[in-house]
Amino acid sequence: MNNPFDHAHIQEEKAEREARRLKLRTHLLIAVFCAVLLGFVGVLYQAQIVDGPSYASSSIVRNIQPENVDSVRGEILDRYGRVLVTNEISYDVTLDYAVMGSERNDILSRLLDICKEEGVSWTSFLPISESAPWSYTTDNPFFFLQKTENEDGEENMETRHTYLGSLADKENCNWLEDAAKDQLTAAELLAKMCATFGLVEKGEVPSQRDRELAGVLYEIYLRRYEVDNSQYIFARGVDIAFISKVKENGLKGVRIETDTTRKYETNSAPHVLGYTGAITKATSDHYKELGYPMNATVGVSGVELAFEERLHGVSGTRRIEKDENGNVISQEWGKEPEPGDNVVLTLDIALQATTEDLLAQYAARQEEQKPMAAAVVDMSGGVLALASYPTFDLTTLRENLVELNNDTERRPLLNRATQGTYAPGSTFKMLTAVAALDSGTITTREQVECTGRYRYYPNPSDWPACWINPGRHNWENVTDAIKDSCNVFFYDVGRRTGIATLQDYAKKFGLGEYTGIEISERKGHMAGPETSAQYNQEWFEGDIMSASIGQGMNEFTPLQLANYVATLVNGGSHYACHLLKECKSSDYSRVTEIYDEEPLDTIHIQPEHLAAVKQGMYDLSKTWSIARYFDSLPVEVGCKTGTAETSAKAASTNAVFVCFAPYDDPQVALCLVAEGGDAGGSLAELAAGILAQYFSTDSSLSTVATENTLLR
């Protein structure tokens, strides 16, 4: 029989075991719950605290795009290593139109306000006046300002009127087509533009601010529809105060970019050095083939253009990551840009500055400040100085370009030393003498009688006069005739020599031919039947006499005349003119290129013939009217004056002067031209000043100071 007490005890133990198991399960569940909870907390902490910034950044809409990066441009130096053009860091403002969205006009309006507050000018070439009443600032509202070049290679900065027809086919650009077809007034065109850009309602009159915004939007549209391939730089060279205000206002799509701009260490040689600018539509295909980015800065004129590929270097690429506001988040280089080489010129900037100053001083003394030019070369065609008056300042060229270009009377942008062509006058007589002597037409001792008129023709009315008419030079040999500049002697000698021989020698001396200089130049021309036919004129037998004394249709550049004298006195080696001396790597550690060219031609001048011609030039330098300028020089000089008629009635003349020095061992030759000047002898004082500067230059400038040191 079961004991009730034992049964109860068993039940109690069973209940206790169940309670313990329940408690254990509960603890296990709580432990598991806590573990899971801790896991969630850990994940949340990792996601929000540890990785929060990364996820937040990833959550932003990003725009990754490749970008071409222009290389740093090489420096330009003179022959002694003096830096002429270098670079400096600047800050430019560019506009990212794509991220502005519907806020575009408000953003641009605020940007213009900041520009006015900080005195920053912005780029806008919209050809409508900046204030009412609205009027066109050109004859045609669609244009680009760019460099052009005529058939003779003459540069001209001019307004090119171009109908941007491709824009008329784009959406919301009907105003361009309307303006072209309907010949709208400036006010009507501006109203249409402002309505198209959402600045005013249709029929509403634009305000001053509307005109300003329309100018900016016009520039954006040109590039958006690829009419102009260049990047739109809204403003250049802005300062920190401007940048701070732009950042404070959080202007979406307004980017501040670091750039390098050209810095000019000299005010001299602007025509030679030239300037840089954006790639134009006309040159875009050329630079695409070279692998240039379309926002690259390239040479536009002068040395900057001539040595573009050496100076430019190699452009690079990078991947730019932007946020939805157009701000750059990160960048990664694909290919780093390689800086360009440094170009060392044959130019002597001290001599150049002296030459320019002397031209300006001479012009200031004249009743009318007429244009002038000078060219100085060494015996192998290296250009030491090229000066043109009037001139301009490269540092303010952008601001003054329109004004300079519109000065059609003085034409300060024209480099007269290489692009001005002039009759050489009597400075041509040495060529006639050499051609006659070497062809056997005359000898050094042969004399011609000068009676004041050349009496070869039977009709006295056809007797051309000598310059001293009614005086006479009497009997003259070639040396006397050069010293006295006897026209009658050279009339006779030139006629007997023949135009074909004179043309042949002119070509060998480089007259009427391109000199080979790297910057733009004109060819000019030598008188003769072909030249007359080219200008629809008849060539007469008697025209050879004018040609023999440097008149008629002879037209040469000052650089050609300087190099012709150098060719003569160096014994007949005709070199191409050049500005390049050498190129050096960007860090100046090595020479990458040296100019070393053989003569283009060699004229075999007999020594006694050359001596006779040079003696005449020396004797002229000792005449009373010229010797007073050269007597103080440390070297002896040979020279020749010229007075060239510029009209059939001889109402106007140009003064021409050429010389070389030292007489016994020529190192340098030069030519001076003064438009509307008196006799060529009036320029002797300037020539003496130029030679004084050249021969006073410290020779240590061209000497390497230490072994294994590469001078700049």
Side-chain angles (χ1 to χ4, degrees):
M1 191 173 173
N2 293 334
N3 188 333
F5 178 78
D6 291 338
H7 181 73
H9 182 69
I10 291 170
Q11 292 295 325
E12 184 178 346
E13 287 180 350
K14 186 177 180 180
E16 288 178 357
R17 287 196 297 273
E18 289 294 334
R20 285 197 297 273
R21 283 196 292 270
L22 179 62
K23 186 177 181 180
L24 179 61
R25 291 191 193 99
T26 303
H27 282 239
L28 286 172
L29 288 172
I30 292 173
V32 170
F33 177 77
C34 289
V36 171
L37 182 61
L38 287 173
F40 275 118
V41 170
V43 170
L44 289 173
Y45 180 83
Q46 180 71 25
Q48 296 187 14
I49 305 301
V50 177
D51 296 329
S54 176
Y55 286 123
S57 176
S58 299
S59 67
I60 298 174
V61 176
R62 296 186 176 192
N63 177 24
I64 300 176
Q65 62 186 47
E67 183 177 80
N68 292 314
V69 181
D70 208 6
S71 53
V72 176
R73 203 166 179 82
E75 295 182 326
I76 301 173
L77 305 89
D78 85 339
R79 68 189 299 114
Y80 298 119
R82 293 171 287 210
V83 177
L84 308 180
V85 185
T86 184
N87 303 297
E88 62 180 354
I89 299 295
S90 66
Y91 298 98
D92 297 341
V93 181
T94 61
L95 303 179
D96 191 343
Y97 179 89
V99 302
M100 292 182 179
S102 60
E103 302 175 66
R104 178 197 67 189
N105 293 348
D106 290 337
I107 291 171
L108 294 178
S109 184
R110 278 184 285 161
L111 179 60
L112 294 182
D113 286 337
I114 295 173
C115 287
K116 290 184 176 181
E117 292 169 7
E118 296 299 321
V120 172
S121 59
W122 61 88
T123 304
S124 174
F125 288 115
L126 178 65
I128 295 177
S129 59
E130 295 182 358
S131 59
W134 313 116
S135 60
Y136 288 129
T137 53
T138 68
D139 296 333
N140 186 306
F142 316 113
F143 76 105
F144 291 109
L145 191 64
Q146 62 186 31
K147 178 178 74 65
T148 60
E149 198 172 88
N150 65 19
E151 294 179 355
D152 291 319
E154 179 181 350
E155 287 182 5
N156 180 35
M157 290 302 300
E158 64 177 17
T159 301
R160 300 292 297 172
H161 300 266
T162 307
Y163 171 51
L164 306 181
S166 59
L167 278 183
D169 299 328
K170 305 294 182 179
E171 185 179 0
N172 294 327
C173 288
N174 294 331
W175 47 269
L176 281 169
E177 188 176 25
D178 293 341
K181 289 181 179 179
D182 303 335
Q183 298 183 347
L184 301 178
T185 65
E188 291 169 337
L189 176 58
L190 181 60
K192 281 182 174 287
M193 291 178 68
C194 291
T196 300
F197 293 140
L199 302 175
V200 299
E201 296 294 331
K202 188 174 182 180
E204 187 178 346
V205 178
S207 65
Q208 178 68 36
R209 171 47 55 90
D210 295 329
R211 159 63 184 84
E212 294 168 349
L213 288 170
V216 176
L217 292 168
Y218 173 75
E219 297 290 341
I220 292 174
Y221 266 54
L222 290 182
R223 290 152 180 85
R224 187 182 181 191
Y225 293 127
E226 298 181 354
V227 175
D228 183 347
N229 286 289
S230 64
Q231 182 185 23
Y232 178 31
I233 307 296
F234 173 80
R236 296 179 182 272
V238 297
D239 58 21
I240 298 301
F242 178 89
I243 296 171
S244 298
K245 282 198 174 183
V246 169
K247 296 294 185 184
E248 289 170 5
N249 281 266
L251 301 182
K252 193 161 55 174
V254 179
R255 295 173 55 186
I256 307 296
E257 296 186 343
T258 304
D259 193 11
T260 56
T261 57
R262 292 309 243 176
K263 180 182 180 183
Y264 302 99
E265 302 290 354
T266 177
N267 292 324
S268 302
H271 297 94
V272 178
L273 297 177
Y275 55 95
T276 58
I279 294 174
T280 65
K281 188 173 181 65
T283 60
S284 60
D285 290 341
H286 169 69
Y287 287 116
K288 279 180 182 177
E289 291 179 3
L290 296 176
Y292 280 38
M294 287 300 98
N295 63 344
T297 296
V298 297
V300 176
S301 70
V303 167
E304 293 278 20
L305 174 60
F307 305 124
E308 166 58 35
E309 293 182 45
R310 297 176 178 89
L311 290 165
H312 186 267
V314 180
S315 301
T317 59
R318 63 184 174 187
R319 293 173 68 250
I320 298 293
E321 191 174 10
K322 302 178 185 177
D323 63 18
E324 60 185 354
N325 294 320
N327 299 314
V328 176
I329 298 172
S330 65
Q331 64 179 16
E332 179 182 342
W333 285 105
K335 176 186 177 183
E336 292 196 25
E338 300 175 15
D341 283 351
N342 302 304
V343 172
V344 182
L345 304 178
T346 58
L347 213 64
D348 177 347
I349 199 60
L351 184 66
Q352 175 76 27
T354 296
T355 303
E356 291 181 10
D357 289 344
L358 288 170
L359 294 189
Q361 292 171 20
Y362 180 91
R365 295 200 300 264
Q366 310 308 307
E367 187 174 342
E368 295 183 30
Q369 294 191 20
K370 295 293 184 67
M372 300 183 67
V376 188
V377 300
D378 63 25
M379 292 297 105
S380 59
V383 176
L384 301 170
L386 281 179
S388 183
Y389 179 87
T391 186
F392 61 95
D393 189 345
L394 277 172
T395 61
T396 58
L397 177 64
R398 293 185 186 277
E399 296 87 339
N400 299 331
L401 182 56
V402 174
E403 179 182 349
L404 290 168
N405 184 59
N406 289 339
D407 190 351
T408 55
E409 182 178 351
R410 299 170 73 244
R411 302 182 71 188
L413 292 173
L414 177 67
N415 183 5
R416 289 175 167 82
T418 62
Q419 295 172 304
T421 56
Y422 307 92
S426 294
T427 63
F428 187 81
K429 289 175 179 175
M430 289 88 73
L431 185 144
T432 302
V434 169
L437 289 165
D438 280 2
S439 65
T441 303
I442 62 170
T443 66
T444 57
R445 295 183 179 181
E446 183 173 343
Q447 293 182 322
V448 173
E449 184 182 12
C450 171
T451 61
R453 285 188 173 273
Y454 184 49
R455 302 171 182 267
Y456 173 76
Y457 296 101
N459 189 346
S461 63
D462 294 332
W463 294 348
C466 194
W467 68 269
I468 62 167
N469 182 60
R472 61 177 61 196
H473 287 117
N474 295 317
W475 292 94
E476 299 256 320
N477 63 24
V478 67
T479 298
D480 298 330
I482 289 174
K483 176 179 74 74
D484 297 333
S485 200
C486 179
N487 286 349
V488 169
F489 179 93
F490 287 101
Y491 289 150
D492 185 62
V493 168
R495 179 190 61 78
R496 291 158 57 193
T497 302
I499 191 63
T501 301
L502 293 182
Q503 287 178 316
D504 181 52
Y505 273 81
K507 184 174 183 179
K508 290 179 179 179
F509 276 105
L511 295 178
E513 304 291 330
Y514 290 116
T515 68
I517 193 169
E518 299 90 341
I519 62 176
S520 294
E521 63 172 328
R522 294 186 67 184
K523 186 178 180 182
H525 42 74
M526 167 67 190
E530 301 83 3
T531 302
S532 293
Q534 182 181 345
Y535 287 89
N536 297 317
Q537 296 184 18
E538 186 176 355
W539 172 264
F540 296 98
E541 180 186 348
D543 290 337
I544 191 174
M545 288 181 291
S546 292
S548 300
I549 63 169
Q551 297 287 172
M553 300 195 76
N554 286 328
E555 284 195 1
F556 313 126
T557 67
L559 180 59
Q560 287 176 358
L561 290 170
N563 202 37
Y564 139 66
V565 173
T567 301
L568 172 69
V569 300
N570 74 18
S573 296
H574 175 219
Y575 290 88
C577 291
H578 60 98
L579 284 162
L580 179 65
K581 182 174 183 283
E582 60 187 8
C583 292
K584 296 181 180 179
S585 59
S586 59
D587 60 357
Y588 291 96
S589 63
R590 58 192 175 87
V591 175
T592 59
E593 180 181 357
I594 296 177
Y595 184 92
D596 184 19
E597 298 292 336
E598 296 296 321
L600 297 175
D601 202 351
T602 300
I603 309 165
H604 299 288
I605 307 173
Q606 295 298 318
E608 62 271 23
H609 298 163
L610 177 59
V613 172
K614 286 178 61 182
Q615 184 66 47
M617 299 177 73
Y618 176 79
D619 292 345
L620 177 60
S621 75
K622 295 301 180 181
T623 58
W624 69 270
S625 60
I626 293 178
R628 52 182 173 151
Y629 300 119
F630 291 142
D631 281 348
S632 60
L633 292 178
V635 294
E636 298 289 352
V637 178
C639 66
K640 187 71 189 80
T641 60
T643 306
E645 297 177 359
T646 59
S647 68
K649 296 180 180 179
S652 177
T653 59
N654 292 334
V656 186
F657 188 89
V658 298
C659 68
F660 69 93
Y663 176 74
D664 293 327
D665 182 22
Q667 296 178 25
V668 59
L670 66 86
C671 172
L672 291 161
V673 175
E675 294 184 18
D678 297 326
S682 65
L683 299 176
E685 182 181 4
L686 302 189
I690 294 171
L691 293 176
Q693 169 63 37
Y694 178 82
F695 288 105
S696 67
T697 301
D698 187 350
S699 61
S700 65
L701 284 173
S702 58
T703 304
V704 177
T706 21
E707 188 177 359
N708 298 325
T709 299
L710 191 63
L711 287 186
R712 298 178 72 186

